[in-house]
Amino acid sequence: MGGGERTGRFEALDAGRGVCALAVAFFHMPLVHPLKQQVWFPNLQFCVDVFFVLSGFVLLHAYGDRLGTGRQVLRFGLMRVGRLWPLHAATLSLLVLLEALRLAYLSHHAGPAVATPPFGPGHRPVEIVTHLLFLQNFRTFGDYSWNFPAWSIAVEFWASLVLAATVMAVGPRARLAFAGGAAAGALALWCLSPRTLFVIQNWGIVRCLFDLFLGCLAYTLRDALRLPRPAATGAEAVAFLALPALVLLAPAGPVGYGASLVFAAAIALFSHQRGAVSDLARARLPQCLGRWSFSIYLLHLPVIQVCTTVMHAIGQRTGLPRTVIVGHDQYLDVGSGPANLAVAAGLVAVTVPLAALTYRFVERPSLAWFRRNDARLAASAAAIRADDAVLAPR
């Protein structure tokens, strides 16, 4: 079977995940470059919705037939911990270490006040606990606590448990239930955030549930987009162009809710991997970026933190770079728009090989450990059921 069939991987979708991770990393770079001033730039946040929709699609594909009992849902939850928590904890630990080093340095080197004092707001020790428990998005300490991109990891964990419970109750092919879940999520978002899809703090889980259920619905409807190769190539080309067009052209406001519908259709299309665009996506580099995408997503904030700390240290001695205020946010300015753009792109580029290392030494070993223990639990449960069958009265 091909990579998009039941027993394989959706390799074309993996490549898309890598591109989205790079886009999110670039979006977060705190430099005043020319693109940041463009009206479309905030729409790069659509990439998070691509992640959510894709997660719903892939989770239903991988686990849909294995969520029939409470025990299976519990095992699913443990596997989600194994997939998400180790790298999350590792990158959080790195940020805590950097903060401790900042504290040690500043305690022995008097100088001008820094923009963000060590272990101050957003970096308080108590906030570490909420991050470790995936609770940082639930009315805790604001949008930008520690590794703030991890808000999406936290809400996806809890939303995936809701999804698993739903599948246990209604089955993996309950299109009406998934459509109802997506519609309920959209209605809740409309009430809670009528002006934008890009809600994060406090209500990010509603956004995630909306997208996850759309991904599940797309999975149940994917056979409708199983096209012959010539038609698949044309459809993939249209979808490939439609996604950046949404970023460039979608106006601010609730119109953005419709973007997730486009993402769901595109994911269902590319899951069959029958067109020429999918062939390109299955090349070595896109596949590597797909494998490293989770590490890119969580590691780029520590890279930003190191860069910001170094630049502030240089600034205390030379007066450059400058810190400027745009709206309500602080950004770094190294002297010109093109220079700022180059530094932002350079930081994204630096993140990629570091992400390859964390993928190899954190993601893979930890997930393998959880899988081994899950297999042992499954074998033990099977043995217990066999013993019960033998000992049962006849």
PDB file of all heavy atoms in Angstrom, residues 238-269:
ATOM      1  N   VAL A 238      -3.971  23.236  -7.111  1.00  0.00           N
ATOM      2  CA  VAL A 238      -4.919  24.258  -6.645  1.00  0.00           C
ATOM      3  C   VAL A 238      -4.846  24.389  -5.130  1.00  0.00           C
ATOM      4  O   VAL A 238      -4.793  25.499  -4.583  1.00  0.00           O
ATOM      5  CB  VAL A 238      -6.348  23.906  -7.094  1.00  0.00           C
ATOM      6  CG1 VAL A 238      -7.357  24.835  -6.429  1.00  0.00           C
ATOM      7  CG2 VAL A 238      -6.466  24.001  -8.620  1.00  0.00           C
ATOM      8  N   ALA A 239      -4.835  23.246  -4.432  1.00  0.00           N
ATOM      9  CA  ALA A 239      -4.762  23.282  -2.969  1.00  0.00           C
ATOM     10  C   ALA A 239      -3.449  23.890  -2.500  1.00  0.00           C
ATOM     11  O   ALA A 239      -3.415  24.669  -1.536  1.00  0.00           O
ATOM     12  CB  ALA A 239      -4.925  21.869  -2.411  1.00  0.00           C
ATOM     13  N   PHE A 240      -2.364  23.559  -3.186  1.00  0.00           N
ATOM     14  CA  PHE A 240      -1.051  24.084  -2.819  1.00  0.00           C
ATOM     15  C   PHE A 240      -1.009  25.605  -2.937  1.00  0.00           C
ATOM     16  O   PHE A 240      -0.381  26.280  -2.120  1.00  0.00           O
ATOM     17  CB  PHE A 240       0.011  23.447  -3.716  1.00  0.00           C
ATOM     18  CG  PHE A 240       1.414  23.898  -3.425  1.00  0.00           C
ATOM     19  CD1 PHE A 240       2.102  23.402  -2.333  1.00  0.00           C
ATOM     20  CD2 PHE A 240       2.039  24.825  -4.252  1.00  0.00           C
ATOM     21  CE1 PHE A 240       3.398  23.820  -2.061  1.00  0.00           C
ATOM     22  CE2 PHE A 240       3.334  25.250  -3.987  1.00  0.00           C
ATOM     23  CZ  PHE A 240       4.016  24.744  -2.890  1.00  0.00           C
ATOM     24  N   LEU A 241      -1.691  26.148  -3.937  1.00  0.00           N
ATOM     25  CA  LEU A 241      -1.745  27.595  -4.108  1.00  0.00           C
ATOM     26  C   LEU A 241      -2.780  28.239  -3.190  1.00  0.00           C
ATOM     27  O   LEU A 241      -2.629  29.399  -2.785  1.00  0.00           O
ATOM     28  CB  LEU A 241      -2.069  27.931  -5.565  1.00  0.00           C
ATOM     29  CG  LEU A 241      -1.001  27.536  -6.597  1.00  0.00           C
ATOM     30  CD1 LEU A 241      -1.507  27.797  -8.012  1.00  0.00           C
ATOM     31  CD2 LEU A 241       0.305  28.279  -6.336  1.00  0.00           C
ATOM     32  N   ALA A 242      -3.826  27.493  -2.856  1.00  0.00           N
ATOM     33  CA  ALA A 242      -4.898  28.061  -2.030  1.00  0.00           C
ATOM     34  C   ALA A 242      -4.428  28.348  -0.609  1.00  0.00           C
ATOM     35  O   ALA A 242      -4.864  29.333   0.004  1.00  0.00           O
ATOM     36  CB  ALA A 242      -6.095  27.111  -2.008  1.00  0.00           C
ATOM     37  N   LEU A 243      -3.535  27.527  -0.090  1.00  0.00           N
ATOM     38  CA  LEU A 243      -3.124  27.704   1.301  1.00  0.00           C
ATOM     39  C   LEU A 243      -2.348  29.011   1.514  1.00  0.00           C
ATOM     40  O   LEU A 243      -2.693  29.805   2.395  1.00  0.00           O
ATOM     41  CB  LEU A 243      -2.317  26.491   1.755  1.00  0.00           C
ATOM     42  CG  LEU A 243      -3.086  25.154   1.681  1.00  0.00           C
ATOM     43  CD1 LEU A 243      -2.225  24.011   2.208  1.00  0.00           C
ATOM     44  CD2 LEU A 243      -4.393  25.232   2.433  1.00  0.00           C
ATOM     45  N   PRO A 244      -1.310  29.308   0.716  1.00  0.00           N
ATOM     46  CA  PRO A 244      -0.673  30.621   0.883  1.00  0.00           C
ATOM     47  C   PRO A 244      -1.594  31.775   0.491  1.00  0.00           C
ATOM     48  O   PRO A 244      -1.471  32.874   1.038  1.00  0.00           O
ATOM     49  CB  PRO A 244       0.555  30.547  -0.034  1.00  0.00           C
ATOM     50  CG  PRO A 244       0.284  29.457  -0.987  1.00  0.00           C
ATOM     51  CD  PRO A 244      -0.569  28.464  -0.255  1.00  0.00           C
ATOM     52  N   ALA A 245      -2.516  31.528  -0.443  1.00  0.00           N
ATOM     53  CA  ALA A 245      -3.458  32.590  -0.803  1.00  0.00           C
ATOM     54  C   ALA A 245      -4.318  32.975   0.389  1.00  0.00           C
ATOM     55  O   ALA A 245      -4.632  34.159   0.589  1.00  0.00           O
ATOM     56  CB  ALA A 245      -4.334  32.127  -1.968  1.00  0.00           C
ATOM     57  N   LEU A 246      -4.699  31.999   1.206  1.00  0.00           N
ATOM     58  CA  LEU A 246      -5.466  32.304   2.411  1.00  0.00           C
ATOM     59  C   LEU A 246      -4.665  33.188   3.357  1.00  0.00           C
ATOM     60  O   LEU A 246      -5.190  34.137   3.940  1.00  0.00           O
ATOM     61  CB  LEU A 246      -5.856  31.004   3.122  1.00  0.00           C
ATOM     62  CG  LEU A 246      -7.123  30.305   2.651  1.00  0.00           C
ATOM     63  CD1 LEU A 246      -7.259  28.951   3.330  1.00  0.00           C
ATOM     64  CD2 LEU A 246      -8.341  31.161   2.944  1.00  0.00           C
ATOM     65  N   VAL A 247      -3.391  32.878   3.501  1.00  0.00           N
ATOM     66  CA  VAL A 247      -2.539  33.689   4.372  1.00  0.00           C
ATOM     67  C   VAL A 247      -2.442  35.117   3.857  1.00  0.00           C
ATOM     68  O   VAL A 247      -2.530  36.087   4.612  1.00  0.00           O
ATOM     69  CB  VAL A 247      -1.135  33.053   4.498  1.00  0.00           C
ATOM     70  CG1 VAL A 247      -0.175  33.990   5.230  1.00  0.00           C
ATOM     71  CG2 VAL A 247      -1.218  31.712   5.218  1.00  0.00           C
ATOM     72  N   LEU A 248      -2.298  35.258   2.549  1.00  0.00           N
ATOM     73  CA  LEU A 248      -2.087  36.587   1.968  1.00  0.00           C
ATOM     74  C   LEU A 248      -3.370  37.404   1.858  1.00  0.00           C
ATOM     75  O   LEU A 248      -3.330  38.637   1.953  1.00  0.00           O
ATOM     76  CB  LEU A 248      -1.466  36.445   0.577  1.00  0.00           C
ATOM     77  CG  LEU A 248      -0.040  35.902   0.530  1.00  0.00           C
ATOM     78  CD1 LEU A 248       0.383  35.640  -0.905  1.00  0.00           C
ATOM     79  CD2 LEU A 248       0.934  36.883   1.188  1.00  0.00           C
ATOM     80  N   LEU A 249      -4.513  36.744   1.672  1.00  0.00           N
ATOM     81  CA  LEU A 249      -5.726  37.466   1.300  1.00  0.00           C
ATOM     82  C   LEU A 249      -6.841  37.431   2.334  1.00  0.00           C
ATOM     83  O   LEU A 249      -7.740  38.269   2.265  1.00  0.00           O
ATOM     84  CB  LEU A 249      -6.267  36.900  -0.019  1.00  0.00           C
ATOM     85  CG  LEU A 249      -5.312  36.964  -1.226  1.00  0.00           C
ATOM     86  CD1 LEU A 249      -5.942  36.283  -2.422  1.00  0.00           C
ATOM     87  CD2 LEU A 249      -4.943  38.404  -1.544  1.00  0.00           C
ATOM     88  N   ALA A 250      -6.819  36.490   3.267  1.00  0.00           N
ATOM     89  CA  ALA A 250      -7.928  36.386   4.214  1.00  0.00           C
ATOM     90  C   ALA A 250      -7.992  37.630   5.080  1.00  0.00           C
ATOM     91  O   ALA A 250      -7.003  38.009   5.714  1.00  0.00           O
ATOM     92  CB  ALA A 250      -7.767  35.151   5.090  1.00  0.00           C
ATOM     93  N   PRO A 251      -9.134  38.298   5.153  1.00  0.00           N
ATOM     94  CA  PRO A 251      -9.242  39.501   5.973  1.00  0.00           C
ATOM     95  C   PRO A 251      -9.313  39.142   7.451  1.00  0.00           C
ATOM     96  O   PRO A 251      -9.664  38.016   7.824  1.00  0.00           O
ATOM     97  CB  PRO A 251     -10.562  40.129   5.499  1.00  0.00           C
ATOM     98  CG  PRO A 251     -11.374  38.952   5.046  1.00  0.00           C
ATOM     99  CD  PRO A 251     -10.400  37.974   4.461  1.00  0.00           C
ATOM    100  N   ALA A 252      -8.975  40.094   8.284  1.00  0.00           N
ATOM    101  CA  ALA A 252      -9.120  39.891   9.721  1.00  0.00           C
ATOM    102  C   ALA A 252     -10.597  39.732  10.054  1.00  0.00           C
ATOM    103  O   ALA A 252     -11.461  40.353   9.442  1.00  0.00           O
ATOM    104  CB  ALA A 252      -8.517  41.070  10.483  1.00  0.00           C
ATOM    105  N   GLY A 253     -10.871  38.864  11.029  1.00  0.00           N
ATOM    106  CA  GLY A 253     -12.254  38.691  11.436  1.00  0.00           C
ATOM    107  C   GLY A 253     -12.706  37.254  11.337  1.00  0.00           C
ATOM    108  O   GLY A 253     -11.918  36.346  11.032  1.00  0.00           O
ATOM    109  N   PRO A 254     -13.986  37.006  11.557  1.00  0.00           N
ATOM    110  CA  PRO A 254     -14.508  35.637  11.610  1.00  0.00           C
ATOM    111  C   PRO A 254     -14.479  34.897  10.286  1.00  0.00           C
ATOM    112  O   PRO A 254     -14.715  33.695  10.261  1.00  0.00           O
ATOM    113  CB  PRO A 254     -15.951  35.845  12.089  1.00  0.00           C
ATOM    114  CG  PRO A 254     -16.302  37.247  11.710  1.00  0.00           C
ATOM    115  CD  PRO A 254     -15.022  38.019  11.846  1.00  0.00           C
ATOM    116  N   VAL A 255     -14.181  35.598   9.179  1.00  0.00           N
ATOM    117  CA  VAL A 255     -14.027  34.901   7.900  1.00  0.00           C
ATOM    118  C   VAL A 255     -12.958  33.827   8.015  1.00  0.00           C
ATOM    119  O   VAL A 255     -13.002  32.791   7.336  1.00  0.00           O
ATOM    120  CB  VAL A 255     -13.674  35.907   6.787  1.00  0.00           C
ATOM    121  CG1 VAL A 255     -13.376  35.182   5.478  1.00  0.00           C
ATOM    122  CG2 VAL A 255     -14.826  36.884   6.581  1.00  0.00           C
ATOM    123  N   GLY A 256     -12.009  34.065   8.919  1.00  0.00           N
ATOM    124  CA  GLY A 256     -10.932  33.106   9.106  1.00  0.00           C
ATOM    125  C   GLY A 256     -11.400  31.736   9.539  1.00  0.00           C
ATOM    126  O   GLY A 256     -10.688  30.744   9.338  1.00  0.00           O
ATOM    127  N   TYR A 257     -12.587  31.645  10.142  1.00  0.00           N
ATOM    128  CA  TYR A 257     -13.096  30.329  10.534  1.00  0.00           C
ATOM    129  C   TYR A 257     -13.184  29.394   9.332  1.00  0.00           C
ATOM    130  O   TYR A 257     -12.985  28.188   9.442  1.00  0.00           O
ATOM    131  CB  TYR A 257     -14.480  30.450  11.174  1.00  0.00           C
ATOM    132  CG  TYR A 257     -14.522  31.130  12.514  1.00  0.00           C
ATOM    133  CD1 TYR A 257     -15.740  31.509  13.073  1.00  0.00           C
ATOM    134  CD2 TYR A 257     -13.359  31.408  13.221  1.00  0.00           C
ATOM    135  CE1 TYR A 257     -15.808  32.135  14.314  1.00  0.00           C
ATOM    136  CE2 TYR A 257     -13.411  32.040  14.459  1.00  0.00           C
ATOM    137  CZ  TYR A 257     -14.633  32.400  15.002  1.00  0.00           C
ATOM    138  OH  TYR A 257     -14.679  33.013  16.219  1.00  0.00           O
ATOM    139  N   GLY A 258     -13.513  29.960   8.183  1.00  0.00           N
ATOM    140  CA  GLY A 258     -13.649  29.138   6.990  1.00  0.00           C
ATOM    141  C   GLY A 258     -12.341  28.566   6.496  1.00  0.00           C
ATOM    142  O   GLY A 258     -12.340  27.592   5.729  1.00  0.00           O
ATOM    143  N   ALA A 259     -11.205  29.139   6.937  1.00  0.00           N
ATOM    144  CA  ALA A 259      -9.912  28.629   6.498  1.00  0.00           C
ATOM    145  C   ALA A 259      -9.722  27.185   6.929  1.00  0.00           C
ATOM    146  O   ALA A 259      -9.143  26.371   6.189  1.00  0.00           O
ATOM    147  CB  ALA A 259      -8.794  29.504   7.054  1.00  0.00           C
ATOM    148  N   SER A 260     -10.205  26.839   8.110  1.00  0.00           N
ATOM    149  CA  SER A 260     -10.032  25.466   8.587  1.00  0.00           C
ATOM    150  C   SER A 260     -10.759  24.464   7.704  1.00  0.00           C
ATOM    151  O   SER A 260     -10.324  23.308   7.572  1.00  0.00           O
ATOM    152  CB  SER A 260     -10.520  25.351  10.037  1.00  0.00           C
ATOM    153  OG  SER A 260      -9.671  26.073  10.920  1.00  0.00           O
ATOM    154  N   LEU A 261     -11.862  24.878   7.090  1.00  0.00           N
ATOM    155  CA  LEU A 261     -12.556  23.998   6.138  1.00  0.00           C
ATOM    156  C   LEU A 261     -11.670  23.719   4.928  1.00  0.00           C
ATOM    157  O   LEU A 261     -11.619  22.586   4.428  1.00  0.00           O
ATOM    158  CB  LEU A 261     -13.866  24.635   5.701  1.00  0.00           C
ATOM    159  CG  LEU A 261     -14.937  24.815   6.773  1.00  0.00           C
ATOM    160  CD1 LEU A 261     -16.097  25.645   6.229  1.00  0.00           C
ATOM    161  CD2 LEU A 261     -15.441  23.464   7.258  1.00  0.00           C
ATOM    162  N   VAL A 262     -10.977  24.751   4.455  1.00  0.00           N
ATOM    163  CA  VAL A 262     -10.065  24.573   3.328  1.00  0.00           C
ATOM    164  C   VAL A 262      -8.922  23.649   3.719  1.00  0.00           C
ATOM    165  O   VAL A 262      -8.519  22.759   2.953  1.00  0.00           O
ATOM    166  CB  VAL A 262      -9.533  25.934   2.852  1.00  0.00           C
ATOM    167  CG1 VAL A 262      -8.530  25.758   1.713  1.00  0.00           C
ATOM    168  CG2 VAL A 262     -10.681  26.838   2.419  1.00  0.00           C
ATOM    169  N   PHE A 263      -8.387  23.845   4.927  1.00  0.00           N
ATOM    170  CA  PHE A 263      -7.296  22.986   5.378  1.00  0.00           C
ATOM    171  C   PHE A 263      -7.749  21.529   5.455  1.00  0.00           C
ATOM    172  O   PHE A 263      -7.012  20.617   5.071  1.00  0.00           O
ATOM    173  CB  PHE A 263      -6.798  23.430   6.758  1.00  0.00           C
ATOM    174  CG  PHE A 263      -6.332  24.859   6.814  1.00  0.00           C
ATOM    175  CD1 PHE A 263      -6.455  25.594   7.986  1.00  0.00           C
ATOM    176  CD2 PHE A 263      -5.784  25.475   5.707  1.00  0.00           C
ATOM    177  CE1 PHE A 263      -6.024  26.904   8.056  1.00  0.00           C
ATOM    178  CE2 PHE A 263      -5.351  26.790   5.756  1.00  0.00           C
ATOM    179  CZ  PHE A 263      -5.479  27.512   6.943  1.00  0.00           C
ATOM    180  N   ALA A 264      -8.965  21.309   5.950  1.00  0.00           N
ATOM    181  CA  ALA A 264      -9.474  19.938   6.070  1.00  0.00           C
ATOM    182  C   ALA A 264      -9.585  19.276   4.698  1.00  0.00           C
ATOM    183  O   ALA A 264      -9.192  18.109   4.524  1.00  0.00           O
ATOM    184  CB  ALA A 264     -10.826  19.952   6.773  1.00  0.00           C
ATOM    185  N   ALA A 265     -10.117  20.011   3.717  1.00  0.00           N
ATOM    186  CA  ALA A 265     -10.244  19.451   2.369  1.00  0.00           C
ATOM    187  C   ALA A 265      -8.875  19.166   1.756  1.00  0.00           C
ATOM    188  O   ALA A 265      -8.664  18.119   1.121  1.00  0.00           O
ATOM    189  CB  ALA A 265     -11.038  20.411   1.482  1.00  0.00           C
ATOM    190  N   ALA A 266      -7.931  20.085   1.954  1.00  0.00           N
ATOM    191  CA  ALA A 266      -6.590  19.889   1.397  1.00  0.00           C
ATOM    192  C   ALA A 266      -5.899  18.687   2.033  1.00  0.00           C
ATOM    193  O   ALA A 266      -5.219  17.906   1.348  1.00  0.00           O
ATOM    194  CB  ALA A 266      -5.756  21.159   1.599  1.00  0.00           C
ATOM    195  N   ILE A 267      -6.065  18.520   3.334  1.00  0.00           N
ATOM    196  CA  ILE A 267      -5.448  17.384   4.027  1.00  0.00           C
ATOM    197  C   ILE A 267      -6.032  16.072   3.519  1.00  0.00           C
ATOM    198  O   ILE A 267      -5.302  15.100   3.271  1.00  0.00           O
ATOM    199  CB  ILE A 267      -5.637  17.538   5.548  1.00  0.00           C
ATOM    200  CG1 ILE A 267      -4.714  18.654   6.067  1.00  0.00           C
ATOM    201  CG2 ILE A 267      -5.370  16.227   6.281  1.00  0.00           C
ATOM    202  CD1 ILE A 267      -5.013  19.098   7.481  1.00  0.00           C
ATOM    203  N   ALA A 268      -7.355  16.021   3.348  1.00  0.00           N
ATOM    204  CA  ALA A 268      -7.975  14.810   2.809  1.00  0.00           C
ATOM    205  C   ALA A 268      -7.456  14.510   1.408  1.00  0.00           C
ATOM    206  O   ALA A 268      -7.202  13.347   1.052  1.00  0.00           O
ATOM    207  CB  ALA A 268      -9.493  14.967   2.797  1.00  0.00           C
ATOM    208  N   LEU A 269      -7.292  15.536   0.591  1.00  0.00           N
ATOM    209  CA  LEU A 269      -6.784  15.349  -0.764  1.00  0.00           C
ATOM    210  C   LEU A 269      -5.359  14.811  -0.759  1.00  0.00           C
ATOM    211  O   LEU A 269      -5.046  13.808  -1.408  1.00  0.00           O
ATOM    212  CB  LEU A 269      -6.847  16.675  -1.517  1.00  0.00           C
ATOM    213  CG  LEU A 269      -6.162  16.701  -2.890  1.00  0.00           C
ATOM    214  CD1 LEU A 269      -6.905  15.804  -3.875  1.00  0.00           C
ATOM    215  CD2 LEU A 269      -6.083  18.135  -3.413  1.00  0.00           C
TER     216      LEU A 269
END
